[in-house]
Amino acid sequence: MTHGVRTEMHSAHYNGGRADWRDTATRYALLPLRVFLGVTFIYAGLDKLTDSAFMQEAGAGSIGDTMRAVRDSSAIPALVDLALENPVAFGYAIAGGELAVGIGTLLGLLSRLAALGGALISLSLWLTVSWASDPYYYGNDLAYLMAWLPLVLAGAPLLSLDATLRSRRRRRAYR
């Protein structure tokens, strides 16, 4: 079986040279998710970095006490033990990762990599902090993990630095 490139300009919703609202909605479908996840992860990173209680080895609201509290109920206690070797550094790593993921996602820069980073952060938090949520859907980290997957697969094809850079590369290739 041979596979060719589809050349016709017809879609189910194509209307004489211009796309209807369904085509437009389909093209922009991931944009609200991208904005939500980007803003949320930037906020989460900044919230951690500006919370003096969080970036402590011990004490109410600290990363250290949070990790010790979830250690025995997590899916992978060894992962929590690794974080507990230096909880403050781990807190800064998570906050920095959230900021990088949020900025990359919001700007659409290295968007698939940013989304993969967001998915990995969400996965690690699900397997540690929210693993014991009962029923499971009370833990929001699993929902965040699932929300990242479409962006891992599709990237940021519109309104993104990735799209701008891709367009520039194409123009140079055709010169």
Side-chain angles (χ1 to χ4, degrees):
M1 170 183 264
T2 61
H3 298 278
V5 177
R6 190 173 154 177
T7 58
E8 75 261 11
M9 294 291 293
H10 180 73
S11 77
H13 309 294
Y14 193 73
N15 187 10
R18 60 182 256 270
D20 75 357
W21 69 271
R22 285 174 261 192
D23 288 328
T24 302
T26 298
R27 289 184 64 208
Y28 290 92
L30 291 178
L31 192 57
L33 183 62
R34 207 176 103 207
V35 170
F36 170 75
L37 289 171
V39 168
T40 299
F41 268 57
I42 289 170
Y43 177 77
L46 290 175
D47 189 45
K48 287 174 181 66
L49 289 173
T50 58
D51 183 352
S52 59
F54 180 79
M55 290 297 180
Q56 300 293 321
E57 209 162 307
S62 69
I63 182 71
D65 279 5
T66 299
M67 297 309 288
R68 281 186 283 280
V70 301
R71 192 230 177 258
D72 293 334
S73 63
S74 73
I76 307 175
L79 191 59
V80 178
D81 291 338
L82 181 65
L84 281 170
E85 288 180 19
N86 192 338
V88 175
F90 179 74
Y92 279 111
I94 289 291
E98 287 172 336
L99 271 175
V101 162
I103 291 168
T105 301
L106 201 56
L107 296 177
L109 180 62
L110 301 172
S111 54
R112 282 190 172 105
L113 182 60
L116 179 61
L120 291 173
I121 290 170
S122 297
L123 176 64
S124 68
L125 293 173
W126 177 53
L127 293 174
T128 56
V129 177
S130 62
W131 180 258
S133 296
D134 187 31
Y136 76 93
Y137 52 82
Y138 281 170
N140 64 355
D141 296 311
L142 179 58
Y144 278 106
L145 172 60
M146 294 298 116
W148 283 113
L149 295 181
L151 296 178
V152 170
L153 296 171
L158 296 171
L159 301 176
S160 67
L161 290 175
D162 287 346
T164 301
L165 295 171
R166 190 170 36 256
S167 176
R168 285 185 184 172
R169 283 192 300 268
R170 282 189 193 132
R171 280 195 304 262
R172 283 188 201 139
Y174 289 116
R175 285 184 187 176

